[in-house]
Amino acid sequence: MNAVGELAAGAALIAKSAFEELGKDIYSKIKGTIKDAIELREIKQNLYDLQNKIEDYGKVKTFWQLDRAISIKRFYCDPFLIIDKKRINIKSLSEFEIDSNILVEGIAGQGKSIFLRYLCVKELELGRFLPLFIELRQFDEEIDFNCLVKNTLFYLGFNVEAGNIYETIVSTGKVVLLLDGFDEVGTRLRKKLTKQIEDFSKKNKCVKIIASSRPNSELRTSPLFEVVRIDGVKSEEYKSYVKRLSGDLQFAEMAIKSIEKNKMGVIELLKTPLLITLLLVTYRSYKLIPSNLEEFYDSILELLLHRHDSSKIHMSPRERTSGLTDRQFRDCFDALCFFSKTIDGFQFGPNEILKISKEALRDTNVDSDPQYFIDDIVNVTCLLLKEGRFLKFIHKSVQEYYSASYISNKQDKWVEGLFSLFIKHGYRDWFEELAYLSSLKPYQYSKYFILPLMKDVLGVKGSFEEYVNQDVRRHVYDIFFNIEIEIATSESFGYARVAKAKFRSKKMRLFFNLIGEDYNKLFRNVKVDWCALWKYYILEDRKAVSSCGRLVRGDTVESLYKYRFSEIYNSGFLKDQNIDVLESACRRIIRKAFDALELIKREDHYSSKDIARNFFLSH
């Protein structure tokens, strides 16, 4: 055994020893609740076998290795997290230095799931906590949150129905819950799940909870969670990912050299680990770097259909049972992604996915067996993965991009109708598709979505150009003055801070999220002496909007109060420089509107004034 092998073996022995000590600690707490000697022996043996079962959470299939699950240790790169405005690496739970539960937010492909799996494996090595990795997409009408926790313990070998084993384990102070993919839960169920997680946390205060989600989920509004954000890959950092992901230094150097030659064209592909991985998959097969995001995603499906590898001259594509051509397969896959998204799904049972497949084939007028089409997606492209009796997309961004592709190929009238439904009923679950469509079909996106949305939200009457300079400002100010700001105060420590800001209208929240204005951050940047404001309203018995409970943060108990922004403004506590905060929001909206108008003008060869008049007066 070489020196590296000896070091690895030594580390494994240390980890095994540490986890055995944790097992003994948990066993000492459990044995008092179980009378049956045979059952106690089984529990003791299970605790010794526990390490191997938890190690399974550290094995995943990736785009780089589709055929079998591999250890994340082979490709994991430490992400940077933004915590208290600092950009830092977190290598274990203890490095968070946050007493409350934690919500890790990140956009598609930033490695939220891999990060939580890494923390799970790391705690296994350190032996300080029993990590329970739970995929929240399993939550549904029939399985509540407590059930998910119990099922995880049952998988690990604990008979949770015996005695008080479940209650005893969660009360040991040795359990940490790693909740993956809150955003993968159906929209209708998220509030229910949030409440159940909060109820569990209040009842089991000794259990640390780390959850992951896309930005702006319902869970981020919970006072029991502190939000941290995974930052994007910066500048030259992508090179470390290329070297780590490829596992081949010579290949990595060649890929980096090619990327550097075309860096401006692929700059958007170097911001997340997923996109860097897909870029490497493409480069490995074609020895070329795609010039933009659309070309990149389009090449991925073709690549997976043929499993082409330029280093393997005699490699032939896998046979397709569906008999579909490349073009038919792409059209049907686009449709399947879209129809699967309309039912608010990411994971599907056999009957559900078969129904979606039939609908996709019928929509595209393709004559093929729907089950054969599913089999080809699973066996040839691996873009759908089997997990037990369920199928799920290998990554949510796959479903989102090809769903957007389906929309982009529809006639204008159809697209206009869909966007009208979004504006009327909400588009929260379609943010990513809309982002792709702004690039795939900027004309339709501007004409049928952005401008009608602004008219709806801002109450535009008549010509938008005449309205935009003065009335938009007035309307934006009115919107902000009706925002509720939640202030957390501590009488014992004598401070007050902004906990969160909230639009009273869901429509406004969606709109500001869409245009990229983080209104929570906006109001945290507002310069107000919050402590003096709190004393002005509360200690002198003046009227606040409402008291809204208490928040426990470590050893500190905070009281929560809601204020209207207009009250703060009228009280005289608002500083003059805060006008800049509101003006920045106005400028962003106005710029967005004029960019859309100019784009439509170029496409239609109309004057900007004609477009504004014809468009807004005809709706």
Side-chain angles (χ1 to χ4, degrees), residues 457-458 475-483 503 508 512:
V457 171
L458 301 175
H475 200 86
V476 170
Y477 273 55
D478 287 344
I479 291 169
F480 275 100
F481 283 165
N482 281 292
I483 285 179
F503 284 104
M508 297 301 177
F512 274 81

Side-chain angles (χ1 to χ4, degrees), residues 94-355:
S94 61
E95 293 184 14
F96 270 114
E97 296 183 355
I98 295 174
D99 294 326
S100 62
N101 299 322
I102 299 167
L103 175 61
V104 179
E105 286 191 341
I107 62 172
Q110 281 194 311
K112 301 178 291 295
S113 296
I114 295 297
F115 177 59
L116 259 60
R117 287 179 184 273
Y118 167 78
L119 290 178
C120 182
V121 173
K122 193 65 180 178
E123 290 310 313
L124 176 68
E125 293 176 355
L126 296 172
R128 292 180 301 202
F129 293 100
L130 172 62
L132 303 183
F133 184 87
I134 299 173
E135 293 179 311
L136 290 178
R137 59 187 167 79
Q138 300 173 53
F139 180 83
D140 59 29
E141 297 285 4
E142 298 177 1
I143 302 177
D144 66 13
F145 181 69
N146 268 303
C147 228
L148 288 181
V149 180
K150 286 182 179 180
N151 288 348
T152 304
L153 286 168
F154 182 77
Y155 166 76
L156 294 176
F158 293 101
N159 182 4
V160 290
E161 302 302 328
N164 295 317
I165 284 186
Y166 173 64
E167 291 78 9
T168 303
I169 290 175
V170 297
S171 66
T172 58
K174 297 293 183 180
V175 173
V176 59
L177 300 187
L178 301 166
L179 310 181
D180 180 45
F182 181 88
D183 57 288
E184 293 176 18
V185 176
T187 307
R188 294 174 289 102
L189 297 172
R190 290 178 192 169
K191 284 187 179 179
K192 179 180 177 182
L193 177 57
T194 298
K195 179 155 191 325
Q196 290 186 13
I197 292 173
E198 287 179 334
D199 289 345
F200 177 92
S201 185
K202 289 171 184 175
K203 183 179 178 181
N204 305 285
K205 293 182 179 178
C206 61
V207 178
K208 182 85 168 181
I209 301 177
I210 315 287
S212 72
S213 179
R214 297 266 184 100
N216 302 309
S217 70
E218 287 81 352
L219 196 58
R220 81 161 1 247
T221 65
S222 171
L224 303 183
F225 282 82
E226 185 160 332
V227 180
V228 301
R229 177 172 60 84
I230 297 181
D231 199 21
V233 179
K234 303 288 187 186
S235 189
E236 302 297 298
E237 289 172 3
Y238 86 89
K239 295 178 181 179
S240 299
Y241 281 88
V242 170
K243 291 174 183 177
R244 187 80 173 127
L245 290 166
S246 65
D248 181 334
L249 187 58
Q250 184 177 2
F251 171 82
E253 294 296 343
M254 289 171 58
I256 290 169
K257 188 175 179 180
S258 295
I259 290 170
E260 287 296 313
K261 285 182 180 178
N262 190 36
K263 196 169 183 180
M264 290 310 295
V266 295
I267 194 78
E268 291 298 316
L269 303 179
L270 302 175
K271 291 184 177 179
T272 72
L274 174 68
L275 291 177
I276 293 171
T277 303
L278 289 173
L279 190 65
L280 288 176
V281 170
T282 306
Y283 180 75
R284 179 175 64 180
S285 297
Y286 298 120
K287 294 295 183 285
L288 293 171
I289 298 295
S291 59
N292 56 55
L293 191 63
E294 289 71 42
E295 180 185 323
F296 166 68
Y297 263 110
D298 287 340
S299 66
I300 284 296
L301 183 58
E302 181 186 354
L303 166 65
L304 295 175
L305 279 172
H306 292 275
R307 293 296 179 90
H308 171 71
D309 189 330
S310 62
S311 67
K312 299 177 182 177
I313 298 172
H314 301 294
M315 184 176 181
S316 58
R318 296 188 180 186
E319 184 180 352
R320 300 176 209 172
T321 57
S322 65
L324 300 185
T325 65
D326 285 6
R327 184 67 261 171
Q328 289 174 325
F329 199 99
R330 170 61 188 269
D331 291 343
C332 292
F333 186 69
D334 283 358
L336 180 136
C337 289
F338 175 78
F339 290 124
S340 69
K341 187 64 187 283
T342 61
I343 64 169
D344 195 22
F346 177 71
Q347 174 178 278
F348 313 94
N351 292 332
E352 195 174 28
I353 193 67
L354 187 63
K355 183 179 178 181

Side-chain angles (χ1 to χ4, degrees), residues 307 318 329 373-386 391:
R307 293 296 179 90
R318 296 188 180 186
F329 199 99
F373 177 48
I374 295 166
D375 292 342
D376 281 350
I377 299 172
V378 174
N379 299 322
V380 179
T381 72
C382 296
L383 293 175
L384 280 175
L385 298 178
K386 278 187 177 179
L391 288 174

